Amino acid sequence: MCGIVGYIGNKEAYPILINGLKRLEYRGYDSAGIALSNGETRTYKIKGKVADLEEFVSDKNISGDIGMGHTRWATHGEPNDVNAHPHESNGGKFIVIHNGIIENYSLLKKKLAGHGYQFKSDTDTEVLANLIEYLYVDGKLTAEEAVRLALHNVTGAYALVVIAKEETDKLIAARKGSPLVIGIGAGEYFIASDATPIVEYTRSVIYLNDDDIAVLTRDGLSLKTLKNDILTPQIQEIDLEIGAIEKGGYDHFMLKEIFEQPDTIQNTLRGRISADLKDIHHGGISAEIDKIINARRLLIVGCGTSWHAGLVGEYLFEEFTRIPVEVEYASEFRYRNPVIYPDDIVIAISQSGETADTLAAIKLAKDAGATVLGICNVVGSSISRETSAGIYTYAGPEIGVASTKAFTSQVTALSFFAYMVGRKKNIISQELYEQLISELVDVPAKIQTVLDHHQTIQDIAKRYKDSENFLYLGRGFLFPVALEGALKLKEISYIHAEGYPAAEMKHGPIALIDEKMPVVIVATKDKSYEKIVSNIQEVKARKGIVIAIVSEGDTIISEMADHVITIPMTHEAVSPILAVVPLQLLSYYIAVLRGCNVDQPRNLAKSVTVE
Ligand code: G6P
């Protein structure tokens, strides 16, 4: 949420910043701005996308070898030119870009107003810029000291970069709750919300921790805590190919990411399954494996699509390990005073590893003494660092705001995790264990078959692109898939869609069904098959339009449904990974046909780093 990029070195900063903002635009895209300095400092900002900013500055002075840029997802104040970042203090001494929320900003604003400060914008960030300036002037401090003191006076979350006009040889950066990573080049430094703007210049990075303050000059880097203790920077090498963050010939990142799934699932499985397909390695959860096997209860926390993956995890773990599972929205869990036992195992699922509510849920669980594991995609992310053990999904960068490949990789990781624990506890036989492993290993090829038949889905999309409502139904393992299908459609096409357990339809949604309502029913061959056939009849009896996802060889539903999308046969516990793919494609094609911006849907952000 909000993208931050900064540069200090001997090159022109502008191309690096604009390029970086384009890479970060998936984090927020309602306005954009930059500040550039070559002794004299200039700020340009505008409502709209990074492309609008580029056009806006085309006739301006954009020279400077120090600078910072911001792409915004509005929290305080509507998206407009004035609320866009960077924000300058009244006296023009400090320029700030910020991601996060300063919770006590209105109190600070009142106090600063009492000292004569005036505010142009509605943002909390402008308050912070003025607070820094106020402390700088009054205390005769250095810019770094003023930033530190200001941060002692704020509550909330931030990742920020500051340029001080009286000390223009440096960038000052600080983090609490929102990610920041520093890239180290030769005589130059980069700073960004994530590594994507940095990777084409350097692979050596430092991830800031909460309460870190970094000062970057051309000659070096100083890293301290908010309490002013000196830290030794931990330099890491990142492994990220530039191709992974480009569209690679696809029209949208989302389409690329859907089509990448045969590879990304293979990457999730790589090194986890023995060569003879008879066993699963503990890998990143080795340290906690005994606790997991003996757990009385599992709690799974996540948000959005990751929460849906968690629901599949509940079905998997209860089926194969008989450990009771509760799945919680991280945002509810953290505030509802949940009962957490010290012997609970909490699994936090997150693509980005930066979602604020999931991070807070982890902290709560840790404070209660529980063992917390992470299932994360982004290596080195906050959640991966906050958890004692876990599984990386290795799906590669996901840029499309609507999550696709992250979901299938999360469910893949939960699957082999559940099978492994189930076998260790002797809940499942070696025979079933091996069957499940080989079904999982076959998933990439089966997804490829679904992708090869995308034309059928495109044709269905053409017929129903103008529908105002959609209903998605599924049972058992496929109920979370129905939720995920509905979420995909509403996120990117703005069509109202609801996911329901198929049998629950009779308790409400059936009232909505008429000849205009497409009902997407995930009805592959499993133990609920006959039941879902009855549900389809109930929809047809009310003249609903049935779009059914069926297993290959199905004849019964094919005769009843208006449209069928066939997917290869697999074990019912593996079917969510396959069945979600046609739903991803359906939402993608509908959104494109409706002219929606698929990769940057309105109001959404990829990484929700504010609560
Ligand atoms: C946002 C994204 C979703 C994502 C959710 C959780 O809402 O748009 O795609 O599922 O956050 O994100 P996480 O990174 O924690 O999986």
Side-chain angles (χ1 to χ4, degrees):
M1 210 160 246
C2 296
I4 284 179
V5 60
Y7 174 79
I8 180 163
N10 299 309
K11 297 191 187 113
E12 278 301 302
Y14 176 76
I16 295 168
L17 299 180
I18 281 291
N19 201 12
L21 287 181
K22 285 181 185 162
R23 296 217 185 280
L24 289 170
E25 211 169 9
Y26 71 93
R27 300 180 73 95
Y29 31 79
D30 58 46
S31 50
I34 44 169
L36 294 156
S37 169
N38 50 5
E40 169 230 9
T41 307
R42 282 144 280 123
T43 299
Y44 307 113
K45 54 186 190 169
I46 189 163
K47 178 184 172 181
K49 310 252 168 170
V50 177
D52 298 309
L53 175 67
E54 256 182 313
E55 203 188 314
F56 178 61
V57 300
S58 58
D59 56 353
K60 313 263 184 320
N61 175 1
I62 49 166
S63 62
D65 47 17
I66 298 181
M68 60 190 188
H70 187 270
T71 173
R72 180 171 186 244
W73 186 90
T75 56
H76 294 70
E78 63 173 87
N80 59 27
D81 295 353
V82 179
N83 287 333
H85 296 218
H87 288 280
E88 264 190 56
S89 57
N90 274 193
K93 292 197 168 95
F94 289 91
I95 307 170
V96 179
I97 56 174
H98 165 225
N99 173 19
I101 293 179
I102 306 298
E103 287 167 3
N104 58 340
Y105 87 105
S106 64
L107 193 70
L108 293 168
K109 195 171 181 174
K110 262 189 211 137
K111 281 191 182 164
L112 288 164
H115 291 286
Y117 278 86
Q118 289 175 348
F119 298 88
K120 297 187 207 99
S121 77
D122 308 314
T123 66
D124 49 347
T125 308
E126 191 187 8
V127 175
L128 183 58
N130 281 324
L131 178 65
I132 297 170
E133 183 177 273
Y134 169 71
L135 295 167
Y136 179 72
V137 173
D138 275 18
K140 313 246 180 310
L141 307 172
T142 65
E144 180 191 345
E145 284 163 347
V147 171
R148 174 172 297 107
L149 192 56
L151 294 179
H152 276 288
N153 284 282
V154 305
T155 51
Y158 50 79
L160 54 99
V161 183
V162 181
I163 292 179
K165 280 204 195 158
E166 290 174 357
E167 298 178 34
T168 48
D169 58 336
K170 64 187 63 148
L171 291 175
I172 303 168
R175 166 200 163 131
K176 183 178 196 167
S178 292
L180 271 181
V181 51
I182 294 171
I184 306 165
E188 60 184 0
Y189 289 98
F190 306 82
I191 185 148
S193 315
D194 63 47
T196 53
I198 294 177
V199 68
E200 56 200 282
Y201 307 106
T202 177
R203 307 228 152 218
S204 302
V205 300
I206 300 163
Y207 292 98
L208 292 194
N209 289 313
D210 278 354
D211 294 330
D212 284 0
I213 299 190
V215 179
L216 311 174
T217 66
R218 289 183 193 83
D219 306 324
L221 152 89
S222 109
L223 191 63
K224 293 184 190 164
T225 66
L226 204 50
K227 290 186 184 146
N228 211 16
D229 297 327
I230 296 172
L231 296 165
T232 310
Q234 304 295 318
I235 301 172
Q236 301 182 29
E237 292 296 307
I238 39 169
D239 179 20
L240 182 61
E241 292 307 321
I242 200 77
I245 52 174
E246 291 183 339
K247 281 193 209 149
Y250 285 90
D251 288 344
H252 297 98
F253 279 110
M254 182 180 178
L255 190 63
K256 177 191 176 212
E257 288 157 8
I258 292 172
F259 273 80
E260 269 176 353
Q261 290 176 108
D263 292 334
T264 52
I265 290 171
Q266 220 139 26
N267 291 340
T268 309
L269 291 172
R270 184 163 295 121
R272 267 76 188 247
I273 310 271
S274 67
D276 58 6
L277 305 190
K278 288 182 190 301
D279 208 356
I280 294 162
H281 304 303
H282 302 170
I285 44 177
S286 307
E288 308 290 5
I289 193 71
D290 292 336
K291 280 194 208 157
I292 298 165
I293 287 164
N294 296 312
R296 250 194 317 159
R297 186 172 72 147
L298 293 184
L299 294 167
I300 301 181
V301 293
C303 301
T305 289
S306 295
W307 182 79
H308 291 159
L311 282 183
V312 182
E314 177 181 18
Y315 284 84
L316 288 164
F317 272 91
E318 294 207 340
E319 174 80 21
F320 297 124
T321 73
R322 307 305 297 149
I323 304 172
V325 181
E326 284 173 39
V327 187
E328 298 256 9
Y329 285 114
S331 53
E332 287 297 311
F333 181 78
R334 64 179 290 196
Y335 284 121
R336 70 166 185 79
N337 194 16
V339 176
I340 308 169
Y341 300 111
D343 61 352
D344 279 339
I345 303 287
V346 176
I347 304 175
I349 305 179
S350 175
Q351 186 286 126
S352 62
E354 302 293 351
T355 302
D357 283 322
T358 310
L359 265 166
I362 289 173
K363 286 186 182 134
L364 185 75
K366 277 167 69 175
D367 290 348
T371 301
V372 186
L373 313 176
I375 295 188
C376 269
N377 192 35
V378 178
V379 176
S381 57
S382 303
I383 291 178
S384 68
R385 287 181 289 140
E386 284 289 332
T387 46
S388 64
I391 302 171
Y392 277 125
T393 48
Y394 295 126
E398 191 179 65
I399 313 275
V401 168
S403 183
T404 52
K405 63 177 182 173
F407 176 79
T408 48
S409 281
Q410 288 164 344
V411 177
T412 301
L414 286 160
S415 300
F416 65 69
F417 187 10
Y419 307 161
M420 193 249 289
V421 175
R423 182 67 201 117
K424 289 231 170 289
K425 286 174 70 91
N426 212 11
I427 303 288
I428 58 172
S429 66
Q430 181 65 23
E431 193 191 352
L432 175 57
Y433 186 50
E434 289 178 24
Q435 187 204 339
L436 289 166
I437 292 174
S438 66
E439 289 281 7
L440 204 53
V441 167
D442 287 346
V443 163
K446 289 181 181 174
I447 289 189
Q448 192 55 56
T449 316
V450 179
L451 296 172
D452 291 344
H453 292 95
H454 63 275
Q455 188 60 50
T456 314
I457 302 165
Q458 212 162 358
D459 293 343
I460 297 172
K462 277 184 198 146
R463 284 194 63 167
Y464 300 108
K465 71 177 174 56
D466 295 320
S467 299
E468 286 173 9
N469 299 288
F470 267 73
L471 192 59
Y472 286 72
L473 302 175
R475 299 182 78 115
F477 283 101
L478 296 168
F479 158 54
V481 171
L483 292 180
E484 177 60 10
L487 176 64
K488 287 297 81 106
L489 188 69
K490 55 190 154 194
E491 277 181 313
I492 59 169
S493 71
Y494 319 135
I495 295 174
H496 169 247
E498 286 190 52
Y500 255 87
E504 270 294 304
M505 175 184 67
K506 289 199 273 301
H507 300 286
I510 199 163
L512 301 171
I513 295 176
D514 61 15
E515 66 286 351
K516 285 193 273 180
M517 170 75 105
V519 184
V520 179
I521 307 188
V522 196
T524 52
K525 275 273 161 59
D526 61 22
K527 57 176 174 281
S528 325
Y529 183 76
E530 272 76 34
K531 307 273 175 219
I532 209 145
V533 167
S534 309
N535 298 140
I536 292 174
Q537 270 158 350
E538 288 154 10
V539 174
K540 284 309 310 167
R542 278 139 194 104
K543 300 195 168 42
I545 303 152
V546 172
I547 302 167
I549 316 297
V550 299
S551 303
E552 62 193 355
D554 186 296
T555 49
I556 299 171
I557 294 179
S558 303
E559 277 178 15
M560 296 160 57
D562 297 271
H563 306 278
V564 289
I565 301 167
T566 304
I567 64 171
M569 280 293 281
T570 186
H571 190 285
E572 64 174 336
V574 177
S575 61
I577 316 175
L578 271 183
V580 76
V581 177
L583 305 189
Q584 297 168 343
L585 283 170
L586 184 64
S587 63
Y588 172 79
Y589 290 128
I590 289 178
V592 170
L593 288 163
R594 287 166 72 93
C596 300
N597 185 340
V598 171
D599 283 335
Q600 296 175 351
R602 71 180 178 214
N603 303 340
L604 295 177
K606 182 73 188 156
S607 182
V608 180
T609 53
V610 296
E611 59 174 283

